[in-house]
Amino acid sequence: MVDLSINCAGIKSPNPFWLASAPPSNSAYQNCKAFEQGWGGTVWKTIGEPVMNVFNRYGGLDYNGQKIFGLNNIELISDRPIEVNLKEIAETKKLWHDRAVVVSLMVESKRETWHEIVKRTIDTGCDGIELNYGCPHGMSERGMGAAVGQVPEYCKMITEWVTEVSTIPVLVKLTPNVSNIQLPARAAKAAGADGISLINTINSIIGINLDTFELRPNVGGLGGHGGYAGPAVKPIALHLLSQVAIDPEVNLPISGIGGVSNWRDALEFILLGASSVQVCTAVMHYGFRIVDDMIEGMTNWMESKGITSLDQIRGKSLPRVNDFGNFDLLNRTIARIDQQKCIHCNLCYIACEDAAHQCIDLTPVNGHNKTEVREKDCVGCALCSLVCPVENCISMVRIDDGSASKTWNQLTEEFRKNGKQMTWENLAEFQHKHGIEIH
Amino acid sequence: MKNIASKLPSEQYEKNFSDLHPPFTQNSAVAEANRCLYCYDSPCMKACPTHIDISTFIKKISTGNLLGSAKTIYESNWVPLTCAKACPVDVLCEGACVYNAKGEKAIEIGRLQRYAIENYFDKGMPALFHKAPKNGKSVGIVGSGPAGLACSAELALLGYEVTIYEANKIPGGLNTWGIAPYKMRREDSLKEVELVKSFGVDLKTEVMIGKTVKVDDLLKKHDAIFLGVGLGESPQLSISGEELSGVVGALDFIEKVKTENWENVHVGKKVAVIGAGNTSIDAATEAKRLGAEQVFIIYRRSDVEMSAYEFEYELAKKDGIVFHFLTSPKRIIGNSFVEGIECLKMKLGEPDIHGRRKPVPILRSEFTIPVDMIIKAIGQETKSSFLSSIPKLTLDDEGCVIVDRTTFQTANPKIFAGGDCINGGKEVVNAAYDGKHAAHGIDKFLSKK
């Protein structure tokens, strides 16, 4: 029997799917509706200082006819008063004991103000607090959000103000708009945070109108940077998640965020160490109903793999996150084209010819072109297999037996020991010895 | 006619003859264009008789470069709107789409081409090509169908003085007269004529070469001549009763549907179409859509041998056309009006010289189908008497003009030819290819002088 329940830094929920602190989790109406449809938790849209939104606040990035491949926004934190939100949070939690209700907070950088909001939030009966150190627009200019997340010292100071009074778990939500995500994560840890949420949105300009030269979203002729989210940011989120998850100085539970649109995405986050995942853009595109497939799809996948609890797979891919210097230079693959499956689109040919290593031959046969890999010249880069539109038509085949494994780090060490410089000539000698010819 | 089908409400005609393949909206065109894999050296391009660089024009639709898309199309084909709407895409470009091999729906190339070209006309046909300075040579084009138009456009851009001689009052040839209205309206063909005229081509209508103007005079006046005269009348059935009122030729009938108000085109309550080619299907479906209660197609051989494309056959069946295969007309019954057609059942015998099994009558198998109208659609004859009157022209056994297949030059070096008059009746797209390449044949010939 598959059990999807999770415990993220002491916050428990029946499944790992939480609404991210964002427009879908703005009100009791929305959060209760989401719970009815199966969401395991919510991070209530950030409450705090008085704000007023502009009207036009989202910009969509469409790609090849796919709508909202990315989404950016200049919406602020909740534009409803703290009192209204706290009342609704208390009502919601009363109705939904088994779901995780986490409240996102952002107030001005004063110790007393933080103490007060934390106490009032705890009084709602909610399960946890998330500190919004990530919001990249509107609030950062006022010294909040990303302005805090980008400076580890501020991050530590404010987190301490929260943890010194909080009786419930505290998650610190990080901004990706930093050069080293581990630094603010360590600051949060040092300040006593119970967990990390990441990533918040990425600074972005989503696009320009080619007729008017206006930015999108366009507010009366003006636009500016907004927070970028959606499927397009997932690879960035996965990378930053892995960086925090492998950092022994952090070692905290993580709620993963960034382009999670379905159960497959969620599993990738979990395999890189996330305890729960938070979703916003996919809900903004399709509504709460997507959680049905998320729960069912993940359950079916786990059943097919004989996995009964997410604890069994959490972080399972982390040991594979490694440095280039440790990759085997002699792990050789080449491309093979299945002629039975080939539909003769010749995309592999033109990609290899113009953008890779010119090792696919195109020969006319019976009115169409036959594409064939010249194996001795193939460097195994895999580009052809990526552009091929037919499933399993081009496969990357391993041709070495593993006996001659050598990493860059090992090679440079070997050279050093033998008193050899890392020169093109010495490298060519190594390549030649292993039958590798680079044209 | 004895029993004329009752008129339909005017909105019903519009509905019956509305677009078989409706135009794309911008969003749907871009979505479809994005579905295209952008194959390299693509099979669709090879399958197109004019070799339009299809994946490139589709890619340009996906980026919103619609003018560039139109230019890519025109680089290969001067009548792309007609081709987009009338080409048998299932057996040409779309039939070759790699998606078929994947077991998925082919890209809707015809509709995408229509989208790019209609946009081009909507934008007022902005100039896409550089026109070479006049070279002082002149070419006369006989016929303003697709072959003549393509040849004219290409020559005009190369700097030739081009004059088209069109026998009809309205130009465009079969693009204008011969395509079922649910595929294409007359206005579309005329737009393509206008584009060619915009290159400085002089179009003279109601000029019948051989009658209004002598062939010799034409040869004196121009440095070269291109014949794009197409084919002529439907041949006789050569059975009794053919002179009765209610017996019409398929092309005359189809032309009427394209030129007159639909409510003025009379069809019988019951109609028999003789023959099972693509023109037969057009005639049959048009008769049905004009209000005929029952329409039959009568064909000597079986569905395997018929020349109509599969999708045309499907369209006819959807329209409720009843097929009488292995049935040969014996005589038309009636006094002054058609009242019925007596037919004979056939069986297939030995293959003929073309490899098609010959239909053999079954003795005493006569039966009569009561009909009010008979449409003859057993092909078109070549304009053999006109063609034989042209000096030094050689014709093959079928009466088609013999040309060099690269230069399209006839046995008379000053005369070139293309389209149906050299191939006996193929697609618009074949004529478009012939005309364009004949222009280069002419250019090569005249440049040498």
Side-chain angles (χ1 to χ4, degrees), chain A residues 63-66 341-347 349-350 362 367-369 389-391, chain B residues 30-31 34-35 37-43 46 59 62 96 98-99 101-102 104:
Chain A
Y63 185 72
N64 274 6
Q66 166 69 51
K341 289 187 175 147
C342 177
I343 59 171
H344 312 294
C345 68
N346 309 323
L347 287 172
Y349 165 77
I350 198 65
L362 199 62
H368 59 71
N369 290 305
V390 181
E391 231 173 296
Chain B
V30 171
N34 278 317
R35 211 165 65 80
L37 296 173
Y38 196 24
C39 297
Y40 176 78
D41 196 16
S42 60
K46 289 181 186 156
K59 176 76 178 171
S62 78
V98 297
Y99 270 116
K102 278 187 85 182
E104 291 172 40

Side-chain angles (χ1 to χ4, degrees), chain B residues 37-73:
Chain B
L37 296 173
Y38 196 24
C39 297
Y40 176 78
D41 196 16
S42 60
C44 54
M45 177 175 76
K46 289 181 186 156
C48 171
T50 58
H51 307 306
I52 294 173
D53 188 349
I54 292 166
S55 60
T56 296
F57 96 68
I58 291 177
K59 176 76 178 171
K60 289 179 178 181
I61 290 176
S62 78
T63 69
N65 176 13
L66 292 182
L67 216 52
S69 183
K71 186 173 181 185
T72 298
I73 295 165

Side-chain angles (χ1 to χ4, degrees), chain B residues 35 214 301 380:
Chain B
R35 211 165 65 80
K214 287 200 180 99
R301 293 180 165 96
Q380 277 180 277

Side-chain angles (χ1 to χ4, degrees), chain A residues 226-244:
Chain A
Y228 189 37
V233 311
K234 191 186 84 173
I236 299 166
L238 287 175
H239 164 67
L240 294 174
L241 164 65
S242 75
Q243 292 307 294
V244 172

Side-chain angles (χ1 to χ4, degrees), chain B residues 320-350:
Chain B
I321 311 296
V322 177
F323 284 78
H324 286 282
F325 291 115
L326 293 168
T327 302
S328 182
K330 193 180 173 195
R331 66 185 179 102
I332 298 168
I333 303 165
N335 289 318
S336 50
F337 301 105
V338 173
E339 288 174 30
I341 183 160
E342 189 182 285
C343 301
L344 207 52
K345 285 272 180 205
M346 311 292 275
K347 62 181 178 193
L348 290 175
E350 294 302 307

Side-chain angles (χ1 to χ4, degrees), chain B residues 135-294:
Chain B
N135 60 19
K137 286 173 183 155
S138 109
V139 181
I141 309 286
V142 187
S144 67
L149 288 177
C151 191
S152 302
E154 200 76 8
L155 287 170
L157 291 181
L158 286 168
Y160 289 87
E161 187 90 44
V162 180
T163 309
I164 303 180
Y165 301 93
E166 168 57 51
N168 222 305
K169 191 173 170 184
I170 299 174
L174 282 184
N175 287 9
T176 302
W177 309 109
I179 297 167
Y182 49 78
K183 288 181 187 160
M184 189 170 117
R185 297 292 167 91
R186 206 169 67 167
E187 299 75 50
D188 291 327
S189 167
L190 297 181
K191 282 180 196 165
E192 305 207 281
V193 174
E194 280 312 305
L195 176 67
V196 174
K197 278 170 73 183
S198 77
F199 300 150
V201 170
D202 184 19
L203 173 67
K204 295 189 190 303
T205 53
E206 295 180 274
V207 179
M208 184 79 111
I209 300 301
K211 286 185 183 156
T212 333
V213 174
K214 287 200 180 99
V215 174
D216 285 348
D217 294 339
L218 206 63
L219 282 164
K220 272 177 213 148
K221 191 172 170 204
H222 298 290
D223 297 299
I225 301 292
F226 174 77
L227 299 174
V229 295
L231 297 171
E233 299 300 310
S234 307
Q236 292 290 310
L237 295 170
S238 305
I239 55 174
S240 71
E242 209 164 343
E243 71 294 343
L244 292 174
S245 164
V247 181
V248 297
L251 281 177
D252 291 338
F253 173 68
I254 289 168
E255 182 174 330
K256 238 182 194 168
V257 180
K258 286 292 277 236
T259 48
E260 290 182 23
N261 283 334
W262 289 317
E263 55 175 28
N264 297 335
V265 184
H266 295 315
V267 290
K269 280 191 171 170
K270 293 182 179 178
V271 179
V273 177
I274 315 297
N278 295 308
T279 304
S280 323
I281 305 273
D282 278 354
T285 54
E286 287 175 38
K288 192 74 201 275
R289 287 162 194 240
L290 284 167
E293 289 165 15
Q294 278 184 302

Side-chain angles (χ1 to χ4, degrees), chain A residues 333-337 360 373 375 378 380 382 384-385 394-397:
Chain A
T333 56
I334 53 158
R336 287 234 174 99
I337 300 171
I360 296 181
V373 178
E375 297 190 351
C378 177
C384 56
S385 73
I394 302 184
S395 39
M396 301 308 299
V397 185

